[in-house]
Amino acid sequence: MSNPFENNDDVYLALVNDEGQYSLWPAYLDVPAGWSIALGKAGRQECLDHIEAQWTDMRPRSVVRAAEQVAAEASTT
């Protein structure tokens, strides 16, 4: 069986979770809980291009917020 994430002829989705992390997902599979569609049915490369353009900071949102909070607290002391 071939890897369903590597077939250039299939249709995919670009998914995003609450932490701002992205994933390539085969369109014929149900979207997993905790994920939403960021880009609807499209070719594999189009989805990968969308993910690359949108996901510019690999850190989860919770980590970004924590770092911002630490920086804000440090600037007030």
Side-chain angles (χ1 to χ4, degrees):
M1 179 178 211
S2 65
N3 185 335
F5 294 89
E6 295 181 354
N7 186 341
N8 289 325
D9 298 324
D10 276 350
V11 177
Y12 292 87
L13 306 169
L15 305 182
V16 64
N17 66 19
D18 290 341
E19 288 285 349
Q21 298 166 311
Y22 284 79
S23 179
L24 178 69
W25 197 256
Y28 64 87
L29 295 176
D30 291 338
V31 174
W35 293 83
S36 60
I37 298 172
L39 178 66
K41 293 180 179 179
R44 183 175 186 274
Q45 191 58 54
E46 184 178 351
C47 286
L48 291 173
D49 291 344
H50 178 80
I51 291 168
E52 183 176 352
Q54 299 301 311
W55 198 10
T56 57
D57 187 343
M58 302 301 278
R59 298 175 298 167
R61 279 193 185 120
S62 59
V63 171
V64 172
R65 287 185 197 122
E68 289 170 349
Q69 183 175 357
V70 167
E73 290 170 359
S75 69
T76 61
T77 58

